[in-house]
Amino acid sequence: MGFLSVLFGGKQLSEEEERQEQQQKKFDLLKYDGVKAMKIGQSDYAVRCFNEALKLQDDLEVHDYLSQVFLRQGELDAAMKELRVLGDAEPENAQIQLRMAQVAYMQEDYATMAAACQQAMVLEPENPDPCFLTAQAMKGQQNLVGAIAMLTKALTLKDDYAEVYLLRAQTLLAMGDTTSADADADWLLEHVGDHEDVLLLKARIEAAKGNSEEAIHTYDKVVEVNPFCIEAFRERGQLKFDAGDKAGAEQDMQTVLELDPQQLADVSGEYSAEGIEQRVKQAYSAVNPLGL
């Protein structure tokens, strides 16, 4: 092989260069196999490929792929570890900080989330996403006033940010400000339409305002959009129960139990159709369906 390389004018590789070339080929193959496995849902094999590739070469793209696979597997600590590697390597990349914030949110680590958002906010001051995520962190820390302020700031940067309107309305409702929450809900209904989350929000606002009939009507719309929305059936049933419509409340509760039998086990210890009316009373007395 060396003789032919010299004969045809090629450069003969040293043993070290050949070793590095073979190692690069092996790395590329492991990386390619890992990406292919990730795309077809073979997560465990993808992780093995990526980890073996990193033994050969520290590659930021592989760390990125690993973070994605770990996130799909629900391994949040492992995903965060990979994102920290990326963050240390690219401290000026705001998107990495935002991804860290999203993972921290799933971990309910609101301090880490807020810190990542703050860094992203410095890097991209015109981006509303850090403000939105910071508000989520503040709400998780029960700083509702701060969350409202941050959400309002986000809307000054992007005035049609529907997710911000939704979170602000939910936060205002939790604070008891039904008037302001209703204004945000109306904006969402006008610009987003009959989306399940928007309708559920509107129904809860009407219930909090004491407009039970209107709330029930809006819950009807929720279950039309999503016939499997447990919250809508449970909360509508509570309103019916309070209004004296025992049959309607029982029907909604039975639907809740069909969709999630564990709801009954949490109340009575076992599932049984016997004595359902009494169990409905127990269930509704054991929960606060409005979440207030």
Side-chain angles (χ1 to χ4, degrees), residues 70-173:
F70 284 137
L71 194 55
R72 292 178 188 177
Q73 292 180 315
E75 298 183 33
L76 302 181
D77 290 343
M80 181 63 84
K81 180 180 178 181
E82 299 302 325
L83 288 172
R84 289 189 187 282
V85 172
L86 295 173
D88 290 341
E90 299 184 9
E92 301 303 311
N93 190 328
Q95 294 307 307
I96 293 174
Q97 297 300 322
L98 293 177
R99 287 175 59 192
M100 290 176 63
Q102 290 166 341
V103 174
Y105 180 65
M106 289 185 278
Q107 293 175 305
E108 298 184 0
D109 183 355
Y110 302 119
T112 296
M113 183 183 181
C117 288
Q118 183 61 39
Q119 188 166 343
M121 208 177 301
V122 171
L123 294 170
E124 294 185 358
E126 300 304 314
N127 185 348
D129 292 340
C131 298
F132 174 57
L133 291 170
T134 299
Q136 287 185 312
M138 288 180 168
K139 189 177 180 186
Q141 295 171 316
Q142 300 304 310
N143 181 3
L144 302 186
V145 174
I148 293 297
M150 197 57 63
L151 291 166
T152 302
K153 180 180 178 180
L155 289 175
T156 65
L157 299 173
K158 187 178 184 335
D159 61 5
D160 61 348
Y161 202 149
E163 289 84 353
V164 172
Y165 277 102
L166 180 64
L167 182 59
R168 189 170 71 171
Q170 292 169 338
T171 307
L172 288 165
L173 179 59

Side-chain angles (χ1 to χ4, degrees), residues 34-89:
V35 172
K36 183 178 178 181
M38 181 177 68
K39 288 182 177 179
I40 62 176
Q42 295 181 353
S43 298
D44 290 340
Y45 181 67
V47 169
R48 289 201 298 271
C49 288
F50 291 142
N51 280 329
E52 289 300 316
L54 287 174
K55 291 178 183 178
L56 300 173
Q57 181 178 322
D58 192 25
D59 183 84
L60 292 180
E61 194 172 21
V62 172
H63 284 293
D64 187 10
Y65 289 139
L66 262 178
S67 73
Q68 295 177 45
V69 177
F70 284 137
L71 194 55
R72 292 178 188 177
Q73 292 180 315
E75 298 183 33
L76 302 181
D77 290 343
M80 181 63 84
K81 180 180 178 181
E82 299 302 325
L83 288 172
R84 289 189 187 282
V85 172
L86 295 173
D88 290 341

Side-chain angles (χ1 to χ4, degrees), residues 249-283:
E250 181 180 331
Q251 184 177 15
D252 276 349
M253 192 59 189
Q254 284 176 321
T255 302
V256 170
L257 300 178
E258 289 170 4
L259 294 173
D260 184 10
Q262 184 60 38
Q263 296 265 347
L264 185 59
D266 291 341
V267 174
S268 63
E270 62 180 5
Y271 177 79
S272 170
E274 182 179 359
I276 187 66
E277 182 178 353
Q278 181 59 34
R279 297 182 189 278
V280 168
K281 294 178 181 178
Q282 289 178 318

